[in-house]
Every structure is written in C-alpha cells, then in structure tokens.
C-alpha cells in the first residue's frame, strides 16, 4: 500500500494542504481541485484551540471526500500523535503526514498498516526514519530549514531517500523543489488560495 501511495504522490507532484471543518465545503473544494487538475489533498488536523471536536470535523471532511470524490487521494496532515493517526485511519485517510518525527506515531502507523510520511529536517532524523524502514519523508519546515540547498545536501549521504517538502512553498518556488531529484512532490496551502 505504501508504494502505491508514493507512486500516486509522485504522479500528482503538488499536494494542496487545506484546513476545513465543514463536510460540504470539503467536498466542494475537492471537486474544484479535481477540476483544476489536482488529484490529492491533505486535510490538516489543525485547530487554533486544539479542540478535539475540530479534529473530528476534519475527519468527517475526509470521510465525505472519500465517498463523494473517489478520484481524490486523501491524506491527513498535522498528525502529531497516535490518537490523531487512529482518527485519520478511521476517517478513511489513505496516508498521514506529521510535522515532526514522533516514534509513537510512526510505530502506531506501521503496526496498523497506515502510510506515514513523518516530518524531518536534519540528517539525524533521516537516520531515525531509516531505522524504521521509512525512506520517503516530509521535509518540514522546508524553506527555513535550508530549502533546496538542504535537500541537495541530504541527497549525498542519503541517495535513496525521497522527500515531500512543505512549509514556505508557493507558486514562486515549487518548481525549484520539484527539480530536486530526491523530491517526489511538494505540499502547500497556496493552491487553495488561487481560485
């Protein structure tokens, strides 16, 4: 399953990141993205208050999009603990992204056959991911962690590792990231700001 998700992300190249708590709005947004040529989306489990009800609503958005927009590859983002990973899986998310590398979250996902792209921004974190057998990683926050130069530097000691950079990526620099041979896709919220 993990390889299939990686393959699809490699094809889509750009993964819009959205924060939505209304099912109808989520479905409308997903259809709009498909009509504009996008076939993947990451629903962020983000809330200004950290309210569990917001995370549940985000999960309901994933469920609705999986049902009503089946062509869309749906992921859950900002998955910072096993509880959110479980919510993502139960909501029908096909993959999860986390901003950092939390061993407990990674272990839960591996145990429960959930594709995870944990966030890293240093060689030590890449090594830790490799210890878990994960060689496709989120690179976050990309721009302030060295951006394209850092990705090229990581390519030396880790030639088989691939990245999905997010954080500070927009229409002006996305192509620079996608030109890196160790980048399979980029993620960002700028896509949904262009309607």
């Amino acid at each position: 399953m993990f390889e299939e998700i990686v393959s699809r992300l490699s094809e889509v190249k750009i993964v819009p990141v959205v924060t939505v708590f209304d099912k109808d709005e989520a479905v409308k947004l997903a259809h709009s993205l498909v009509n504009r040529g996008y076939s993947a989306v990451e629903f962020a489990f983000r809330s200004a208050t950290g309210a569990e009800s917001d995370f549940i609503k985000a999960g309901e958005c994933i469920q609705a999009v999986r049902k009503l927009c089946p062509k869309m590859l749906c992921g859950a983002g900002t998955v910072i603990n096993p509880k959110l990973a479980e919510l993502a899986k139960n909501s029908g998310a096909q993959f999860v992204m986390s901003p950092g590398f939390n061993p407990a979250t990674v272990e839960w996902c591996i145990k429960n056959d959930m594709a995870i792209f944990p966030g890293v921004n240093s060689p030590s974190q890449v090594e830790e991911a490799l210890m878990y057998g994960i060689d496709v990683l989120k690179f976050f926050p990309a721009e302030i962690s060295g951006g394209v130069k850092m990705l090229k530097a990581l390519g030396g000691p880790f030639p088989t590792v691939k990245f999905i950079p997010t954080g500070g990526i927009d229409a002006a620099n996305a192509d620079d990231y996608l030109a890196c041979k160790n980048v399979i896709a980029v993620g960002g919220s700028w896509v949904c700001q262009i309607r």
Side-chain angles (χ1 to χ4, degrees):
M1 181 182 87
F2 182 75
E3 292 78 15
E4 180 187 340
I5 299 294
V6 169
S7 176
R8 286 187 66 185
L9 290 173
S10 298
E11 291 169 9
V12 302
K13 296 291 184 204
I14 296 175
V15 181
V17 178
V18 300
T19 305
V20 185
F21 302 111
D22 178 86
K23 292 184 289 188
D24 293 335
E25 183 182 344
V27 171
K28 182 179 175 184
L29 178 62
H31 284 298
S32 170
L33 289 169
V34 168
N35 291 338
R36 291 167 50 207
Y38 297 97
S39 57
V41 65
E42 174 188 329
F43 286 93
F45 282 0
R46 255 185 231 154
S47 167
T49 63
E52 186 174 351
S53 59
D54 286 343
F55 301 140
I56 291 169
K57 288 176 186 174
E60 290 170 350
C61 290
I62 292 170
Q63 283 179 327
V65 170
R66 288 293 315 276
K67 181 178 179 182
L68 300 172
C69 193
K71 292 182 180 180
M72 183 65 76
L73 178 66
C74 279
T78 322
V79 175
I80 60 172
N81 56 49
K83 185 176 181 181
L84 287 178
E86 184 174 10
L87 174 60
K89 185 171 178 71
N90 291 342
S91 299
Q94 293 157 287
F95 64 91
V96 299
M97 298 254 191
S98 58
F101 194 98
N102 179 341
T105 304
V106 169
E107 289 167 12
W108 188 94
C109 288
I110 291 170
K111 180 179 176 184
N112 290 278
D113 197 30
M114 183 67 173
I116 181 169
F117 302 98
V120 301
N121 69 352
S122 74
S124 296
Q125 292 169 330
V126 173
E127 288 182 16
E128 186 171 11
L130 290 172
M131 291 291 290
Y132 282 91
I134 302 173
D135 61 1
V136 182
L137 305 164
K138 177 175 176 170
F139 179 59
F140 178 83
E143 273 293 280
I144 64 170
S145 297
V148 169
K149 287 183 180 179
M150 181 62 157
L151 285 165
K152 288 179 179 177
L154 289 171
F158 307 111
T160 62
V161 176
K162 303 296 182 193
F163 296 94
I164 304 167
T166 67
I169 300 190
D170 56 29
N173 62 14
D175 286 341
D176 295 335
Y177 280 92
L178 289 169
C180 295
K181 64 181 180 179
N182 58 351
V183 169
I184 66 162
V186 298
S189 58
W190 90 91
V191 175
C192 295
Q193 294 164 2
I194 305 168
R195 293 206 182 183

